[in-house]
Amino acid sequence: MIKSKIDKVTSFEKRFEKINTVIFESSEVASKAAAAEIATLIKKKQKAKEMCVLGLATGSTPKRLYAELVRLHKEENLSFKNVIAFNLDEYYPMEPDAIQSYVRFMKELLFNHVDIEPENYHIPDGTLEKKDIADYCKEYEAKIDALGGIDLQILGIGGNGHIGFNESGSLPNSKTRLVTLDHITRVAASKDFQGLYNTPKTAITLGIKQIMQAKQVILMAWGEGKSSIIKASVEGPITEQVPASYLQEHPNSVFILDNGSSSKLTRVSTPWIVEKVEWNEKMIKKAVVGLALRLEKPVLMLTEADYIENGMSDLLTEVGDAYDINIRIFNKLQHTITGWPGGKPNADDSNRPERANPAKKRVLIFSPHPDDDIISMGGTFMRLQNQGHEVHVAYQTSGNIAVADDEALRFSDFVIDYNRSFGLDNRKSIEIYKKATEFIKNKKTSEIDIEEVRNIKGLIRRSEARATSYYVGLTDEQIHFNDLPFYETGTIEKNPPGEEDIKITMDLIEKIKPHQIYAAGDLADPHGTHKVCLDIIFEALKRLKTKSYMKDCWLWLYRGAWQEWDIEDIEMAVPMSPSQVLAKRYGIFKHQSQKDGVVFQGSDSREFWQRAEDRNKETATKYDELGLAHYAAMEAFVRYHF
């Protein structure tokens, strides 16, 4: 399946792409294609009565791949009896039963669910004495060599281009070894270790040389967060600063991507340079906006020479002269700007992003975590409330894992003092406090918070979310805590969404019967919660689609602290004045547990209010650069048609 798609890559694309690259609509579809490739190889080897040697990766990227392989085993009788697996890497030091251990990861996601022989899977040992690691690594490679090498190597890619834990600076002849992890890699991994301080500084990794000797290599990448490094790896020069670029010299390698991770490749970002395109409205807007930003010119200042010199002469031929195209796109951009996100009453709405009627709308804002509403669309949230709409907010998850342990103890201690101060019975509170203190004091990185600690952390986030909603002007009847069950595992790794999650969401939509729904479309969230929450909303809406009130319901997607919509995709831009920017900042400050050192900061060291402010200002700046009105900040939305 992958092979047939590769054959369709044009010679024009190959001018830019130095590695075979296949783009799928989603990571789910892509993972199934990769699993089918592995299954075909395993069966081929079985038929020849040979062992199939697989090189396997860990991390979030291959999870769906392993789920599909498990399904193929259970439902289609794919046997792993002839499979020998070698994993790429392991943190060091690392106990095999720790939550973050790749031994545990591989067993829980694959090995425990298929019929591979236990002696046939190999994962670097994170418990070795440091003096023994060099000899161990030689033996690890010798085992692979004795089997004739790896038949198929699965890879992910790090934000700095690392493959395995071969960080920037790794040479092509590097062998299996103990490495020091790049700061970027540690920051990305810190979400699994309750912060950077607890994240290992070293790891054992298969070397570049062994990876390049694999007979076939499949590198997978998902999401817009990987788009820049994918472009550098596929289209850039071969360099030790981007180890994945070495795969340009591999005779049988392929990058399997989804729409997000491929978004900066030339054939995706500027397809008219690669091949003849259909100049529809979406493509014209993308091309013109991109050209204006690249040339640092307002849209109305673009000339025919600009179009011709940048590979867009076909647009002039098919659509018209530069002046008319400029006016057309300028007007489209202008029409996305509105100070009335709920629609302007008694106004012509033919060129407005939202309907004028009904003048007073029922609005439902879904917030995956307890602060996404104010961080991502706080200005719009306040404006909808101030303009008289009936605004409801639904906090989809408790967000309890994002509260530091000392915050939980501080609030528990406050309850004890509160009870003591007012003469209330304190026995149960003291008992809980002692239990929580004892647990946290002796807590190991492999341990999940006990129920009492999780509850305390959840209550902290709930009180902060309620404080924000009060600040905006909502009443208790307009604040909804869904506490979706999929989230409540106590770990970063969540359960798959289930029927109860969907039912809770459907019941709330049925109760409110909204004219507008706002949901987080920020799929770059590194923890994956946003994606799951959005999938639950999509499924709920799919099931409710035939309800009479749904014909009047519009779904708007916002993005959060991690990224913003591209200008050409924005369908509603809500401007903010300097005072509104400050009001939003103060709303974010209500979430005190998320200030001054967030537990899961991601790779961005700025606090969430700073990220949101900078992002909103950047959007406004881009509109200004395109020749439109200059605002202090803007929040952006894309309408989703369901």
Side-chain angles (χ1 to χ4, degrees):
M1 180 177 180
I2 297 172
K3 203 72 174 175
S4 64
K5 282 181 173 283
I6 292 171
D7 293 338
K8 295 178 182 178
V9 176
T10 68
S11 59
F12 288 108
E13 287 168 1
K14 288 177 180 176
R15 284 188 308 160
F16 299 97
E17 297 174 14
K18 302 164 187 174
I19 299 175
N20 285 331
T21 306
V22 186
I23 302 170
F24 291 86
E25 182 180 349
S26 67
S27 59
E28 290 87 349
V29 177
S31 297
K32 287 183 178 180
E37 190 86 353
I38 294 171
T40 298
L41 178 62
I42 292 173
K43 291 174 184 175
K44 179 182 175 182
K45 291 281 189 176
Q46 286 169 350
K47 195 171 183 181
K49 295 183 169 30
E50 296 175 352
M51 299 303 288
C52 180
V53 183
L54 299 179
L56 300 179
T58 48
S60 60
T61 301
K63 286 180 180 178
R64 291 189 181 93
L65 167 67
Y66 296 148
E68 177 62 11
L69 288 175
V70 170
R71 188 197 69 78
L72 289 171
H73 169 70
K74 292 183 176 180
E75 298 180 14
E76 300 184 22
N77 300 315
L78 175 65
S79 175
F80 288 75
K81 287 283 188 182
N82 71 319
V83 171
I84 299 177
F86 289 88
N87 262 75
L88 276 168
D89 43 36
E90 175 62 287
Y91 292 110
Y92 181 83
M94 180 60 61
E95 294 294 328
D97 63 343
I99 292 175
Q100 306 89 348
S101 164
Y102 289 157
V103 173
R104 183 168 178 167
F105 177 99
M106 291 305 304
K107 285 183 177 180
E108 291 183 354
L109 269 72
L110 181 62
F111 296 150
N112 287 351
H113 307 287
V114 298
D115 60 345
I116 188 171
E117 300 293 348
E119 64 269 20
N120 282 348
Y121 58 78
H122 309 273
I123 304 168
D125 187 350
T127 67
L128 296 166
E129 293 289 330
K130 195 170 261 189
K131 63 182 175 60
D132 298 328
I133 292 177
D135 288 340
Y136 173 85
C137 290
K138 288 178 184 177
E139 291 174 14
Y140 200 79
E141 287 197 342
K143 289 178 183 177
I144 295 173
D145 293 338
L147 292 164
I150 293 170
D151 292 309
L152 194 161
Q153 176 68 59
I154 297 296
L155 296 173
I157 184 170
N160 60 355
H162 73 238
I163 47 178
F165 276 134
N166 293 285
E167 302 284 15
S168 297
S170 296
L171 299 175
N173 64 348
S174 60
K175 295 187 175 183
T176 301
R177 65 208 186 279
L178 181 69
V179 297
T180 299
L181 297 177
D182 189 291
H183 177 71
I184 294 173
T185 302
R186 292 185 65 237
V187 169
S190 64
K191 66 183 188 299
D192 297 323
F193 290 90
Q194 300 285 312
L196 187 61
Y197 179 79
N198 300 313
T199 305
K201 295 180 180 180
T202 55
I204 299 171
T205 185
L206 199 69
I208 297 285
K209 185 176 181 180
Q210 193 68 247
I211 291 171
M212 292 296 287
Q213 289 174 346
K215 298 177 183 70
Q216 182 181 358
V217 175
I218 295 176
L219 184 147
M220 305 186 300
W222 321 136
E224 292 176 45
K226 296 290 177 70
S227 60
S228 294
I229 198 63
I230 287 296
K231 180 176 175 65
S233 302
V234 172
E235 297 186 0
I238 297 173
T239 170
E240 64 194 50
Q241 295 307 308
V242 183
S245 67
Y246 291 138
L247 293 170
Q248 293 179 21
E249 295 186 327
H250 193 283
N252 188 17
S253 66
V254 59
F255 278 32
I256 297 181
L257 312 174
D258 65 354
N259 286 332
S261 62
S262 66
S263 60
K264 291 187 179 177
L265 292 177
T266 300
R267 66 164 144 147
V268 177
S269 61
T270 53
W272 48 89
I273 294 176
V274 176
E275 60 185 351
K276 189 173 179 61
V277 300
E278 177 188 347
W279 288 108
N280 55 34
E281 287 299 312
K282 185 175 181 180
M283 189 68 76
I284 295 171
K285 186 180 179 186
K286 178 185 179 75
V288 175
V289 168
L291 179 63
L293 290 174
R294 192 162 57 254
L295 298 181
E296 298 181 352
K297 280 187 172 185
V299 169
L300 295 177
M301 294 292 288
L302 293 174
T303 66
E304 294 205 358
D306 293 330
Y307 283 83
I308 293 168
E309 291 168 7
N310 287 275
M312 294 163 58
S313 56
D314 281 357
L315 176 57
L316 299 176
T317 303
E318 294 184 27
V319 179
D321 62 36
Y323 177 82
D324 290 335
I325 296 171
N326 294 347
I327 290 288
R328 181 169 163 181
I329 299 305
F330 179 87
N331 286 337
K332 282 188 173 295
L333 291 167
Q334 182 69 48
H335 295 155
T336 64
I337 303 172
T338 180
W340 298 82
K344 188 172 184 179
N346 305 313
D348 178 8
D349 59 10
S350 55
N351 287 319
R352 292 179 177 275
E354 250 296 354
R355 307 147 289 172
N357 295 312
K360 182 178 180 179
K361 292 180 173 65
R362 290 185 298 277
V363 178
L364 174 56
I365 299 171
F366 280 107
S367 181
H369 301 99
D371 54 359
D372 285 313
D373 54 337
I374 193 70
I375 288 172
S376 304
M377 55 170 292
T380 304
F381 185 2
M382 287 184 268
R383 190 162 289 181
L384 287 164
Q385 173 67 16
N386 293 338
Q387 290 174 350
H389 301 286
E390 182 188 319
V391 182
H392 294 258
V393 62
Y395 298 104
Q396 292 176 274
T397 70
S398 69
N400 54 17
I401 63 167
V403 177
D405 291 340
D406 59 350
E407 279 289 292
L409 294 181
R410 184 168 72 88
F411 274 80
S412 183
D413 188 41
F414 170 82
V415 171
I416 292 172
D417 282 348
Y418 179 93
N419 290 343
R420 185 180 293 122
S421 179
F422 290 98
L424 303 175
D425 186 354
N426 225 351
R427 285 172 295 180
K428 187 64 177 176
S429 297
I430 293 172
E431 180 185 327
I432 292 170
Y433 178 74
K434 286 181 177 178
K435 187 175 182 181
T437 302
E438 184 65 21
F439 169 79
I440 290 172
K441 179 182 176 182
N442 299 295
K443 182 178 176 182
K444 298 177 182 177
T445 57
S446 60
E447 283 187 284
I448 297 170
D449 281 342
I450 57 175
E451 185 177 358
E452 289 85 350
V453 172
R454 293 206 305 271
N455 284 344
I456 293 168
K457 291 180 177 182
L459 286 170
I460 292 170
R461 305 254 14 218
R462 181 178 285 223
S463 68
E464 291 171 344
R466 191 179 285 113
T468 296
S469 293
Y470 291 162
Y471 172 75
V472 174
L474 271 56
T475 62
D476 285 329
E477 291 71 28
Q478 295 166 284
I479 307 169
H480 310 271
F481 294 97
N482 290 165
D483 292 332
L484 295 180
F486 86 88
Y487 183 89
E488 298 303 324
T489 63
T491 69
I492 292 291
E493 190 62 37
K494 305 306 177 192
N495 291 324
E499 282 299 314
E500 190 176 355
D501 300 301
I502 297 165
K503 184 179 185 303
I504 290 169
T505 305
M506 288 175 65
D507 288 347
L508 183 60
I509 295 172
E510 283 261 67
K511 177 182 176 182
I512 296 171
K513 297 179 173 56
H515 300 99
Q516 277 189 331
I517 292 175
Y518 290 86
D522 190 353
L523 305 187
D525 163 30
H527 320 313
T529 302
H530 284 205
K531 175 69 165 63
V532 178
C533 286
L534 187 61
D535 286 343
I536 290 167
I537 293 169
F538 283 163
E539 181 60 28
L541 293 174
K542 179 182 174 183
R543 298 185 188 186
L544 293 170
K545 193 172 182 178
T546 58
K547 299 286 185 178
S548 59
Y549 64 85
M550 289 303 291
K551 71 178 186 299
D552 295 322
C553 182
W554 287 17
L555 173 59
W556 290 100
L557 300 181
Y558 61 80
R559 285 193 166 177
W562 311 103
Q563 65 181 179
E564 185 57 280
W565 299 108
D566 290 330
I567 295 294
E568 65 266 20
D569 295 327
I570 295 172
E571 294 177 87
M572 180 163 69
V574 181
M576 299 163 66
S577 68
S579 61
Q580 288 167 331
V581 171
L582 282 175
K584 175 176 175 174
R585 184 192 299 178
Y586 298 149
I588 297 174
F589 283 175
K590 299 294 181 184
H591 294 269
Q592 285 294 307
S593 72
Q594 302 304 293
K595 284 189 87 277
D596 305 325
V598 184
V599 176
F600 302 122
Q601 192 78 29
S603 59
D604 191 330
S605 61
R606 294 172 298 168
E607 291 192 31
F608 286 125
W609 70 269
Q610 293 171 312
R611 299 187 204 187
E613 236 168 75
D614 290 347
R615 183 172 52 82
N616 295 158
K617 287 177 181 178
E618 184 179 346
T619 301
T621 298
K622 285 185 177 179
Y623 267 81
D624 177 39
E625 290 171 351
L626 291 168
L628 291 108
H630 187 185
Y631 295 97
M634 280 179 160
E635 292 175 339
F637 304 86
V638 169
R639 187 181 168 197
Y640 183 86
H641 298 269
F642 56 89

